[in-house]
Amino acid sequence: MNTHVTQDTPEASPGTVGFAMQGDIAVLTIDNPPVNAGSHAVRRGITDGIAAACEAGAAGAVLMGAGRCFVAGSDLREFGKPLAWPELPDVIAAIEDAPFPVVAALHGVALGGGLELSLGCDYRIAAPDARLGLPEVSLGFIPGAGGTQRMPRLTGRASAIDLICRAARIPATEALTLGLVDGLAEGDLLAAALAFLREGPRPKRLARTLPPPPEDEAAIDAAARTALKRGKGRPNIAEAIRLVRASDGDAGTMLADERAVFQRLRLSDDAFALRYLFFAERTAGSVDGLDMTAALRVSAAGVIGGGTMGQGIVRALLAAGLSVVLIERDEAALATALSGIDASLGAQVARGRLSASGAEQRRAALSGAVDYGALSGCDLVIEAVFEEMSVKQDVLARLEAALPAEAIIATNTSYLDIDEMVQGLSHPERVLGLHFFSPADVMKLLEVVRAARTSDAVLASGLKLAGRLGKQPVVARVGEGFVGNRIYAAYRRRAELLVLDGAAPEEVDAAATGFGFAMGPFAVSDMSGLDIAWAMRKRQAASRDPQARYVTIPDRLCEAGRLGRKTGKGWYAYGSGSGAAEPDPEVAALIDAARAEAGVSPQSFDAGTIQRQLLAAIVNEAACLLDEGIAQRASDVDVALANGYGFPRWRGGPLYWAATEGRAELEADLKALAAAVGHGFRAGPVAEVLAGLDTGREG
Ligand code: COA
């Protein structure tokens, strides 16, 4: 028996389900730290607990979670293999068959299989802090234990399509409004659930047998259209919509249909890739041997520089509840930066993303100054000034003088050598890199850069801060471009060489988006502006190996005033009213000239070849930087690319992709890459890196 029986307290041994009688009510407590994932043992424990309650002649039962939440979902580690009996639908059947009402008491999160489990109960009571959702589609499959059937019978089909296809996690108050829960419990949750049962009568009430709420078909159609568009053609979205739409049909038939689709999709390529990424993301924020308890408390932060990046960082810090001092070089620049932040808070309110009182709180938590003396109360200061070594060194020296000894100093540099930057400081151990991506309050990725002298406590603080900001941290060592930008540079270089050798920019971009990238490399360049990379190339011109292949096209574009979208033209023209990118004959002529100058006879490349060459460049560069120890683990590279560079999540990441591809084909791609790059090409230890990557596909 997997149920741990206690006399009168609902406690359990970890990994099992506690059973206790409170008068004539059975209390089942799921205790599987840290998040009560619905493992096989938990499923057994619940069915055993229900059986024990029947045997004890219980008049009702409460199902709850110990620790921080109800149930965060089924145990994803079991999803790549055959599932052992009882499966979740068997557990729910036992609850439905019990002769007494069962109340699920929800706190923390009730997600995925956790929410489905509660929907299989007769009633649901939630703590006000609870969050509920069916996020399965974000993992490549669909709810498989009645989520697509029971939810719509409570909320209506349009809402269910929206919630399921958006993988939404909604607060308890919204769940109450939608009819997903029957009441909110202030104070003690168990006491509230027991009172709810005792106040009865609470007849059995199976969500599967409730009449579907009357609904406007047009609203269902609209929800389905929006979901399909957002779902970018992934097959699980269409299946989820189909099943919810049909949830007014025979429940038994529909539950069996849902289960069959779930069983197929949980073993699909998308699902394996997304599960891999799920665990890779959780690992990326950790450093072996690092004592996270050494992290310093950060409640007041400073930001130096109120440009686009600085403003984004301020917004991210404010959103996490920190107080922020923004420093600019003069009053005029400060006023511009502060009004920019003010305006974007206003825009968030207007879009319904932030409440008016929330915006006011953030405004009150922000102050500005032109004097570093205003930073004396800060625990952490992030500099986001011009990307120039001497400028940054000057800022760091001034910060060291102005800040209390224990305050952390972070640089948002995206390329510069932090070890060089801290030379001359008395306490370089207090400096780390926090490399945000623009817009800093939106983009998930945060590279946490561990410089040679960064202390463990400062590194731990950076990682903890990333969590508070809701960011996905990836730890990097110092090296030009760290992890993400370095790999991106190799990818962009390969894209440019493809153009020099015969592909059109729009063919390369179409191949990249065809693979699943959010945007192609040339559309990205146009969006971010071509001038920053141009300036960098000019700086590096003297040290460039003259024998290496050099693509002059971007320089020629810049010389022609084509700096990207901001000048109305770059790799593309943006002349027409819609602002859409259009291939431009002027660019084609410029490319032809560059080919002639380089003595290249243009070849044609099909989309598949372009895709595989772009991927080969990424994979090879990743192997190089892993070899140099810039990234900690192969899976961290996948996390960085999927969270900061528009790499399609459902492909797991470039190294996961490569590890699941045929080796012979990949070797041929790498050979072709070496030939195309030519002089100076460095082959990374790709085979070794891929051999060490656990894709989770075996065993
Ligand atoms: N199955 C297995 N393990 C899970 C899990 C699941 N469904 N959900 C979380 N975990 C594990 C994590 O891997 C992590 O393990 P680790 O400590 O060994 O790294 C641990 O639980 C804590 O999770 P983490 O995400 O680091 O904590 P958090 O406090 O930031 O977030 C949740 C907690 C529950 C919000 C988050 O884990 C989550 O969203 N879980 C998945 C929800 C989901 O998709 N459920 C549907 C599955 S059917």
Side-chain angles (χ1 to χ4, degrees), residues 172-267:
T173 43
E174 191 178 341
L176 183 67
T177 313
L178 286 169
L180 266 186
V181 300
D182 303 289
L184 298 188
E186 300 290 346
D188 185 77
L189 182 59
L190 174 57
L194 290 170
F196 178 85
L197 274 173
R198 288 188 176 127
E199 278 158 12
R202 303 291 178 197
K204 285 294 283 181
R205 192 190 62 153
L206 310 188
R208 62 186 287 188
T209 61
L210 294 176
E215 235 180 324
D216 177 9
E217 286 294 329
I220 300 173
D221 289 344
R225 268 197 310 276
T226 309
L228 271 177
K229 192 161 166 231
R230 201 187 304 112
K232 301 203 175 114
R234 299 323 300 151
N236 60 338
I237 299 288
E239 286 287 12
I241 294 172
R242 178 183 70 78
L243 288 158
V244 174
R245 269 187 178 284
S247 62
D248 55 348
D250 173 68
T253 310
M254 288 313 300
L255 286 169
D257 189 348
E258 180 203 64
R259 190 70 185 167
V261 175
F262 160 82
Q263 294 287 27
R264 173 167 56 79
L265 289 180
R266 77 177 168 87
L267 297 171

Side-chain angles (χ1 to χ4, degrees), residues 47 56 107-108 144 152 178 186 230 241 244 253 259 275 314 355 373 396 404 414 432 435 448 523 557 586 621 627 657:
T47 42
H107 77 291
L178 286 169
E186 300 290 346
R230 201 187 304 112
I241 294 172
V244 174
T253 310
R259 190 70 185 167
R275 269 196 299 275
V314 169
S355 67
L396 261 49
S414 42
L432 86 166
H435 178 213
V448 178
L557 290 169
E586 193 182 312
E621 197 65 22
D627 193 35
W657 171 84

Side-chain angles (χ1 to χ4, degrees), residues 323-659:
S323 70
V324 183
V325 181
L326 173 64
I327 301 282
E328 256 296 359
R329 60 182 183 282
D330 55 45
E331 293 291 351
L334 181 62
T336 308
L338 289 175
S339 73
I341 294 166
D342 186 65
S344 69
L345 289 173
Q348 284 182 51
V349 174
R351 273 190 238 118
R353 299 220 177 114
L354 180 65
S355 67
S357 62
E360 270 327 298
Q361 259 173 20
R362 291 184 197 181
R363 286 188 180 104
L366 173 64
S367 59
V370 292
D371 179 354
Y372 280 45
L375 298 168
S376 60
C378 291
D379 314 303
L380 163 104
V381 177
I382 304 170
E383 73 72 21
V385 299
F386 189 62
E387 189 78 349
E388 175 86 51
M389 184 59 84
S390 59
V391 178
K392 301 236 185 219
Q393 279 177 328
D394 179 52
V395 167
L396 261 49
R398 292 175 67 188
L399 282 174
E400 188 166 59
L403 290 173
E406 61 287 355
I408 299 166
I409 300 175
T411 168
N412 180 50
T413 182
S414 42
Y415 282 98
L416 298 175
D417 181 338
I418 303 177
D419 294 332
E420 186 186 335
M421 203 184 291
V422 298
Q423 273 169 20
L425 295 187
S426 314
H427 292 286
E429 70 280 0
R430 56 148 78 175
V431 179
L432 86 166
L434 288 179
H435 178 213
F436 289 84
F437 291 74
S438 194
D441 54 335
V442 177
M443 296 292 288
K444 280 289 268 183
L445 182 61
L446 179 64
E447 284 183 325
V448 178
V449 187
R450 181 182 202 179
R453 316 260 314 254
T454 304
S455 74
D456 281 3
V458 166
L459 177 63
S461 310
L463 288 169
K464 222 170 202 165
L465 179 73
R468 276 180 74 184
L469 299 180
K471 299 290 176 205
Q472 172 61 60
V474 167
V475 178
R477 289 280 191 180
V478 172
E480 170 122 1
F482 307 117
V483 176
N485 280 351
R486 164 140 170 216
I487 291 177
Y488 195 80
Y491 161 80
R492 194 171 59 193
R493 178 163 158 71
R494 185 68 192 101
E496 289 171 1
L497 283 168
L498 280 161
V499 170
L500 183 65
D501 289 338
E506 58 274 20
E507 285 175 335
V508 176
D509 276 359
T513 52
F515 180 79
F517 275 99
M519 287 171 85
F522 299 112
V524 170
S525 289
D526 274 359
M527 197 182 67
S528 16
L530 273 62
D531 43 339
I532 294 175
W534 188 29
M536 199 184 319
R537 284 195 301 278
K538 284 195 237 172
R539 275 203 303 275
Q540 293 167 345
S543 56
R544 195 162 37 238
D545 182 344
Q547 281 176 278
R549 292 188 80 193
Y550 182 72
V551 184
T552 55
I553 304 162
D555 292 346
R556 298 288 117 82
L557 290 169
C558 291
E559 287 156 14
R562 308 185 66 108
L563 302 182
R565 274 187 181 269
K566 62 185 170 190
T567 55
K569 53 189 184 170
W571 286 94
Y572 296 96
Y574 299 91
S576 70
S578 67
E582 281 159 17
D584 188 339
E586 193 182 312
V587 175
L590 202 142
I591 291 171
D592 280 343
R595 287 175 185 153
E597 196 187 327
V600 169
S601 21
Q603 334 159 28
S604 62
F605 297 93
D606 60 42
T609 306
I610 295 174
Q611 286 169 353
R612 297 190 65 91
Q613 278 302 294
L614 294 175
L615 266 290
I618 293 177
V619 169
N620 184 66
E621 197 65 22
C624 288
L625 65 81
L626 282 160
D627 193 35
E628 294 162 28
I630 304 290
Q632 293 188 96
R633 359 177 145 80
S635 60
D636 288 4
V637 171
D638 286 336
V639 171
L641 272 281
N643 284 280
Y645 294 85
F647 191 95
R649 291 184 66 80
W650 48 272
R651 289 196 189 265
L655 293 174
Y656 175 90
W657 171 84

Side-chain angles (χ1 to χ4, degrees), residues 34-35 37 68 72-76 109 111-113 135 139 169 278-279 282:
V35 293
R68 52 195 264 210
S74 297
D75 190 337
L76 290 168
V109 291
L111 297 171
L139 290 159
R169 299 174 180 211
F278 177 87
F279 289 109
R282 273 139 190 91

Side-chain angles (χ1 to χ4, degrees), residues 279-302:
F279 289 109
E281 286 174 343
R282 273 139 190 91
T283 310
S286 67
V287 173
D288 292 341
L290 182 71
D291 176 12
M292 285 301 286
T293 61
L296 307 163
R297 218 183 111 258
V298 175
S299 56

